[in-house]
Amino acid sequence: GNSVTQMEGPVTLSEEAFLTINCTYTATGYPSLFWYVQYPGEGLQLLLKATKADDKGSNKGFEATYRKETTSFHLEKGSVQVSDSAVYFCALRKSGGTSYGKLTFGQGTILTVHP
Amino acid sequence: EAGVAQSPRYKIIEKRQSVAFWCNPISGHATLYWYQQILGQGPKLLIQFQNNGVVDDSQLPKDRFSAERLKGVDSTLKIQPAKLEDSAVYLCASSSLRSQLALFFGEGSRLTVL
């Protein structure tokens, strides 16, 4: 079945540091890939997405590239801010079928950024 | 545009009691999802509706969980009787038929079973 594996957390960085959160997936076909973010006390929000191989999703300085050869979708940001402190979830949606929108999530990575 | 509304935000019950959660999706969104998020894990889909029909309930523990979306708008998720392992955040999400890639989540309902 489909699965998503994220790097173990938590991740603690100083402001302006470089961020990478690893995500790998297992799926048949050509899934769409997503990063969701959950800020303290808020609901999950879509951060970025990519729907096909070699696509790069980007938003708010974050970016991730859909790498089919390595089945990865690593999240990166060149310079993190304190306001980026949140839980980050990698997710996939399988291609085809009737369960449109059904997302399979990774376990989440807690990011804490210190001033 | 109003987001996905959920209530209650927090609920504490004892095991074997019952509980119900309510969700009102974004206006016009035909697809509604209930996810269960256990502490330290990613959300897991419990049930997916399209309008008032069930599309996927393969991971819903049907002996104790039930959900309905009678008029194709708001939805309720019920647990009866609750077990300790049901302690989790129950997330509701919705999406439009035209943009199934974009799921919009509510803030969730946190359940603690003692």
Side-chain angles (χ1 to χ4, degrees):
Chain A
N2 299 329
S3 67
V4 176
T5 303
Q6 289 181 232
M7 66 182 290
E8 302 246 344
V11 174
T12 303
L13 295 172
S14 297
E15 207 165 24
E16 299 183 3
F18 184 84
L19 168 70
T20 299
I21 300 177
N22 290 338
C23 171
T24 58
Y25 67 91
T26 302
T28 56
Y30 301 91
S32 297
L33 301 174
F34 306 82
W35 278 100
Y36 278 81
V37 59
Q38 190 170 33
Y39 297 105
E42 299 184 17
L44 280 164
Q45 301 173 27
L46 177 64
L47 180 59
L48 53 85
K49 67 180 186 291
T51 58
K52 61 183 187 295
D54 299 324
D55 264 4
K56 178 183 283 187
S58 61
N59 186 26
K60 298 182 180 179
F62 291 89
E63 56 184 36
T65 302
Y66 188 148
R67 301 285 189 202
K68 186 161 178 63
E69 64 276 13
T70 54
T71 62
S72 65
F73 193 55
H74 305 322
L75 182 69
E76 296 182 336
K77 186 174 185 181
S79 176
V80 293
Q81 305 299 313
V82 173
S83 56
D84 294 327
S85 298
V87 184
Y88 292 81
F89 292 92
C90 186
L92 70 80
R93 192 199 80 165
K94 66 178 184 178
S95 56
T98 57
S99 294
Y100 294 119
K102 176 181 177 178
L103 294 169
T104 300
F105 286 89
Q107 73 272 31
T109 301
I110 299 172
L111 170 66
T112 303
V113 180
H114 293 298
Chain B
E1 180 183 73
V4 176
Q6 291 188 246
S7 67
R9 288 294 309 278
Y10 305 93
K11 189 74 175 178
I12 301 174
I13 62 173
E14 298 197 346
K15 60 183 179 183
R16 291 188 289 274
Q17 288 186 323
S18 64
V19 63
F21 301 110
W22 174 83
C23 171
N24 189 24
I26 291 174
S27 177
H29 280 191
T31 310
L32 185 148
Y33 316 78
W34 283 102
Y35 281 83
Q36 179 192 56
Q37 185 179 10
I38 293 173
L39 187 65
Q41 299 180 19
K44 181 185 81 172
L45 180 70
L46 292 176
I47 189 166
Q48 177 182 347
F49 293 95
Q50 187 154 307
N51 297 310
N52 59 352
V54 175
V55 173
D56 186 344
D57 63 356
S58 57
Q59 298 192 88
L60 186 74
K62 298 180 184 64
D63 58 334
R64 297 183 299 105
F65 285 65
S66 65
E68 60 183 15
R69 192 185 185 199
L70 292 176
K71 296 182 180 178
V73 181
D74 54 356
S75 174
T76 56
L77 175 71
K78 297 180 181 177
I79 308 174
Q80 182 179 13
K83 292 185 175 181
L84 297 177
E85 58 261 37
D86 298 332
S87 294
V89 176
Y90 291 87
L91 299 168
C92 180
S94 68
S95 64
S96 67
L97 284 177
R98 201 170 62 173
S99 182
Q100 294 281 0
L101 284 179
L103 265 66
F104 294 86
F105 284 83
E107 293 180 341
S109 295
R110 181 178 297 277
L111 173 66
T112 302
V113 182
L114 302 175

